Amino acid sequence: MRPARISQARLAGLAYLAVVLTGMFALAYVPSALGLGVDNGANSLLIAGRPGFYRLGLLGLLANQVAFVLLPLLLWRLLARHGATLAALMVAFALTGVPVVLSALGFRLDALALLPDHAAAALALDAARNRMLIGMTFWGLWLLPLGVLVWRSGVAPRWLAGLLMLGCFGYLLQVAYDMLALDMPGPLNSVVRLPAMLGEIGFCLWLLLFGGRVRI
């Protein structure tokens, strides 16, 4: 494999690492540390108690979305020759979700501005949650063409490509449950999240460590 392509793969891996780390911080660590749950009335009280830390999470989400603009474009350069239409769909799905998530970020900022009116802040957090749900749809959809391209290209093992494709359907299942106001059983919730998490982290690390070279 040409060194230029290996370098391109590692650059995409760095962008993916930025997406993974900022996402873990903003979407997992900060909500967990604040104790945020499903009740946005209670959440408004919690963010009022630690507004600075909450703002750090919002900054992390902003950085996450900036990195997520760069990532599909870098992957397109790496993978487009293995399927131009699939690569275009990958980029389109990924980028469509960005303004939706940024809109959710705006509502999360509004919630802070509305404090100490906790009822109004809770409504802003509700609006943010709804937009994040729509954004999650595109977080899932872009993984399907990405997984097919990884499968075709051989830049990573096919088991990683399979996890990426399964991750798409895991995200969509979560969205469907939430849209229909259904409670997903705890064990099922853990299972449907697993393929995307393993696939994305695994693919990111493979690009960084091996530069797109498959090693069995």
Side-chain angles (χ1 to χ4, degrees):
M1 183 174 294
R2 294 178 300 173
R5 189 176 169 210
I6 293 174
S7 176
Q8 180 64 42
R10 287 204 167 98
L11 187 59
L14 284 172
Y16 221 140
L17 183 63
V19 169
V20 168
L21 292 180
T22 55
M24 290 174 65
F25 177 74
L27 300 173
Y29 175 69
V30 170
S32 176
L34 287 173
L36 302 182
V38 296
D39 182 354
N40 279 327
N43 290 342
S44 69
L45 294 170
L46 291 169
I47 66 175
R50 299 181 67 185
F53 187 62
Y54 178 74
R55 287 182 183 275
L56 276 179
L58 300 185
L59 185 60
L61 183 56
L62 179 60
N64 174 265
Q65 291 304 289
V66 172
F68 200 57
V69 169
L70 297 175
L71 174 59
L73 300 177
L74 292 170
L75 289 172
W76 178 83
R77 292 183 62 186
L78 181 68
L79 300 170
R81 68 189 185 91
H82 300 284
T85 301
L86 283 169
L89 282 173
M90 174 188 71
V91 173
F93 284 143
L95 295 185
T96 298
V98 171
V100 180
V101 176
L102 291 178
S103 173
L105 175 59
F107 277 104
R108 289 183 178 185
L109 278 169
D110 288 345
L112 273 179
L114 290 166
L115 292 172
D117 186 340
H118 292 285
L123 288 175
L125 291 174
D126 283 337
R129 176 180 292 166
N130 291 336
R131 282 155 181 78
M132 289 296 290
L133 180 63
I134 297 169
M136 188 185 296
T137 305
F138 295 98
W139 290 352
L141 286 173
W142 92 289
L143 292 177
L144 184 59
L146 173 60
V148 176
L149 287 166
V150 172
W151 184 283
R152 286 183 178 181
S153 66
V155 298
R158 284 186 166 181
W159 60 269
L160 278 174
L163 285 173
L164 291 170
M165 289 184 272
L166 284 174
C168 165
F169 299 106
Y171 270 117
L172 296 182
L173 186 60
Q174 291 178 71
V175 170
Y177 263 82
D178 284 351
M179 285 283 190
L180 296 172
L182 299 173
D183 290 326
M184 182 179 290
L188 178 60
N189 188 47
S190 299
V191 169
V192 299
R193 291 173 182 266
L194 196 59
M197 182 182 71
L198 294 178
E200 293 198 82
I201 294 174
F203 183 46
C204 164
L205 294 177
W206 191 275
L207 291 175
L208 286 171
L209 294 174
F210 302 128
R213 293 170 293 179
V214 174
R215 295 180 180 179
I216 304 301

